[in-house]
């Protein structure tokens, strides 16, 4: 006698429903993962263009120009010409956030508690810098994660097509899986490069802000030591050499040493003989 098949238990039915739900969720996530990967690729390409623009703006960045603008702005602040001081600093603002920070520094330097206000503005600029870097830092992790999800999700239908002998379904799903993997890794690599470059650029901006803040709040010695042309005046001027007039003669050492004096003759000898 052929044994009758046992009826599926309640636990088996429950587990089958759970597995079927997981498979359906994975299938539903396939299209959103592909769309998010393409959006992440578009965002990282836009960030590349923005970085190129930032690098073009910073081509004329020099410390001498920053020193001239800072010293001129300090002189304008001392004479209560705040608008002129802000305009002078805008010439060395290599980005929009730096220009806004310069305006806040000029506006706070002549008010009570200037040091506290300036310290708060520097902290806010640093916070904004970290938030700006957070976008590309997110893509550094999001790109490979989307690539991994895009790799694993199509593998289930690919294996199902292999079991059914459907070579076309197997090929199509494997191509999708490998393509999403490549895109995810590419997004992560580009985002990492953008984060490193921008971290260096924003570090330079923060250093410029600290330098200008120090010039605006010191006793004026830093601005006084910087000439309007951008050259730093020496603390001790060199002693000028006195030119030689035509009436003066310059004594030169003899080229041939003088001959020694002749020895005196003995007293007892006859010179005439």
């Amino acid at each position: 006698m052929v044994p009758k098949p046992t009826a599926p238990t309640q636990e088996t039915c429950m587990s089958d429903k759970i597995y079927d739900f997981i498979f359906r969720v994975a299938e539903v996530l396939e299209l959103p993962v592909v769309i998010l990967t393409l959006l992440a690729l578009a965002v990282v390409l836009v960030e590349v263009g923005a970085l190129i623009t930032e690098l073009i703006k910073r081509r004329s960045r020099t410390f001498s120009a920053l020193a001239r603008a800072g010293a001129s702005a300090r002189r304008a602040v001392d004479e209560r010409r705040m608008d002129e001081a802000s305009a002078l600093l805008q010439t060395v603002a290599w980005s929009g956030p730096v220009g806004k920070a310069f305006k806040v520094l000029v506006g706070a330097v002549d008010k009570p508690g200037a040091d506290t206000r300036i310290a708060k503005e520097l902290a806010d600029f640093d916070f904004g810098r970290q938030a700006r870097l957070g976008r590309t830092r997110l893509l550094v992790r999001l790109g490979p994660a989307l690539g991994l999800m895009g790799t694993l999700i199509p593998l289930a239908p690919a294996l199902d097509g292999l079991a059914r002998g459907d070579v076309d379904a197997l090929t199509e799903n494997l191509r999708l899986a490998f393509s999403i993997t490549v895109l995810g890794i590419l997004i992560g690599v580009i985002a990492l490069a953008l984060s490193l470059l921008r971290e260096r650029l924003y570090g330079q901006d923060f250093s410029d802000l600290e330098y200008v803040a120090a010039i605006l709040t010191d006793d004026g010695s830093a601005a006084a030591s910087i000439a309007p042309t951008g050259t730093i005046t020496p603390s001790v001027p060199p002693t000028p050499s006195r030119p030689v007039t035509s009436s003066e003669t310059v004594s030169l050492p003899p080229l041939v040493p003088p001959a020694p004096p002749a020895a005196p003759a003995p007293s007892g000898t006859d010179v005439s003989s």
Side-chain angles (χ1 to χ4, degrees):
M1 294 179 62
V2 179
K4 294 181 180 180
T6 58
T9 62
Q10 185 177 1
E11 295 180 357
T12 304
C13 294
M14 182 62 67
S15 61
D16 290 342
K17 291 180 180 180
I18 293 175
Y19 295 156
D20 184 67
F21 175 76
I22 294 174
F23 296 152
R24 291 184 180 275
V25 169
E27 291 177 358
V28 170
L29 288 177
E30 180 177 353
L31 183 59
V33 167
V34 173
I35 295 176
L36 288 176
T37 304
L38 295 177
L39 288 177
L41 180 62
V43 170
V44 79
L45 292 178
V46 171
E47 293 293 337
V48 170
L51 177 63
I52 294 174
T53 304
E54 293 177 3
L55 291 175
I56 292 175
K57 291 181 179 179
R58 286 173 168 82
R59 287 186 304 174
S60 58
R61 181 188 182 274
T62 58
F63 177 73
S64 61
L66 181 67
R68 288 197 304 269
S72 301
R74 174 56 192 266
R75 298 185 187 101
V77 167
D78 292 339
E79 298 173 2
R80 295 295 184 266
R81 293 182 283 111
M82 299 302 177
D83 294 337
E84 182 180 350
S86 179
L88 288 170
L89 291 178
Q90 294 305 314
T91 59
V92 291
W94 318 116
S95 64
V98 175
K100 295 178 181 178
F102 280 155
K103 292 181 180 179
V104 175
L105 294 182
V106 173
V109 71
D110 62 337
K111 296 180 180 179
D115 294 338
T116 305
R117 291 171 179 265
I118 290 175
K120 182 63 171 64
E121 177 59 26
L122 293 177
D124 289 343
F125 179 84
D126 184 63
F127 180 77
R129 178 185 63 171
Q130 297 299 327
R132 184 72 175 84
L133 290 172
R135 293 189 293 183
T136 51
R137 288 174 178 171
L138 176 63
L139 291 174
V140 173
R141 298 178 179 271
L142 184 62
L146 291 174
L148 181 60
M149 292 178 64
T151 303
L152 298 178
I153 291 175
L155 287 182
L159 294 176
D160 182 65
L162 178 63
R164 292 184 288 103
D166 190 353
V167 181
D168 294 336
L170 174 65
T171 304
E172 188 68 23
N173 286 283
L174 288 180
R175 287 180 59 189
L176 176 62
F178 295 151
S179 299
I180 298 297
T181 304
V182 172
L183 289 181
I185 295 175
L186 179 64
I187 292 170
V189 170
I190 296 177
L192 179 60
L194 291 175
S195 299
L196 295 177
L197 288 175
R198 276 183 172 158
E199 188 172 1
R200 182 176 62 84
L201 294 178
Y202 296 163
Q204 289 180 346
D205 292 343
F206 189 76
S207 176
D208 292 345
L209 284 176
E210 287 183 327
Y211 177 77
V212 172
I215 289 182
L216 294 178
T217 56
D218 69 351
D219 56 355
S221 58
S225 63
I226 302 174
T229 57
T231 58
I232 299 177
T233 58
S235 57
V236 179
T239 304
S241 59
R242 186 173 61 89
V244 179
T245 60
S246 58
S247 61
E248 295 178 348
T249 58
V250 180
S251 60
L252 297 176
L255 299 178
V256 180
S267 60
T269 59
D270 187 4
V271 181
S272 60
S273 60

